[in-house]
Amino acid sequence: MSEVQVSEAEIAAHWREEELFFPPPRFIGQANANDPAILERFSEENFPECFKEYADLLTWDQYWHTTLDTSNAPFWKWFVGGRLNASYNCVDRHLAGYRNKAALIWVPEPEAEATQAITYQELYKRVNEFAALLRDF
C-alpha cells in the first residue's frame, strides 16, 4: 500500500476551515441534553446525585450503591458496586430498533477514499466474531 503525500497547503486549508453545520431541529429534539433546565438539575448543589439521570439511560447488570466514592482522592470511584456491559449498551440493545441503521460512519483521510457505513447488525456480528477469537485464544 502506497502512502499518499499531502502538501502543507492542503493541510493548512483544512486548518482554516471554519464552516459551521447546525443540527436539524428533529435531531436537537431527541438529544439527551436538550432541556434548558439541565443547568439547574446539574448544578453544584445536586452533585453528584444528578449523574444518576444519565446512568439510568444505560442498562445495568447490577445497580450501584454509591454514586461517587471520594474516600481515596484523587482515585475517585463512580457508580460503586455497579456492573454493566459496555458492548451491550453500545451495540446489542440497539438491534431491535436500528438493526439496519448506521452505527459507525468512517470518513477516511484522504477524503478521496470511500466513506464506509457499518450498521448495528454488522457491528454486532464483528464484535461477536472478535469476542469468539479472544475467547478461543
Side-chain angles (χ1 to χ4, degrees):
M1 182 172 178
S2 64
E3 190 172 315
V4 176
Q5 297 296 317
V6 181
S7 72
E8 286 185 40
E10 290 173 300
I11 294 170
H14 285 284
W15 284 346
R16 286 192 305 268
E17 188 173 293
E18 295 180 14
E19 188 173 1
L20 297 176
F21 297 93
F22 294 98
R26 184 171 166 220
F27 182 82
I28 293 170
Q30 64 83 44
N32 292 329
N34 67 351
D35 183 1
I38 195 169
L39 293 176
E40 184 179 324
R41 289 197 322 273
F42 282 81
S43 64
E44 189 173 348
E45 61 261 10
N46 295 327
F47 181 84
E49 293 304 318
C50 56
F51 286 95
K52 179 185 181 304
E53 176 180 337
Y54 285 107
D56 286 342
L57 295 174
L58 300 171
T59 301
W60 291 84
D61 294 333
Q62 183 176 328
Y63 212 71
W64 69 91
H65 54 74
T66 305
T67 304
L68 177 62
D69 176 3
T70 61
S71 64
N72 188 22
F75 304 102
W76 294 9
K77 295 179 184 177
W78 284 91
F79 307 112
V80 180
R83 193 171 138 229
L84 54 75
N85 181 318
S87 181
Y88 177 84
N89 277 283
C90 293
V91 181
D92 302 36
R93 72 182 190 151
H94 300 289
L95 286 173
Y98 305 106
R99 179 174 304 278
N100 296 314
K101 188 170 180 161
L104 298 172
I105 300 173
W106 172 255
V107 180
E109 288 188 29
E111 295 164 355
E113 293 181 19
T115 298
Q116 295 179 18
I118 300 172
T119 65
Y120 280 99
Q121 180 63 45
E122 177 63 21
L123 184 59
Y124 175 80
K125 180 182 170 198
R126 290 184 185 192
V127 166
N128 281 281
E129 286 173 350
F130 192 68
L133 176 115
L134 292 174
R135 181 195 63 220
D136 296 340
F137 183 65

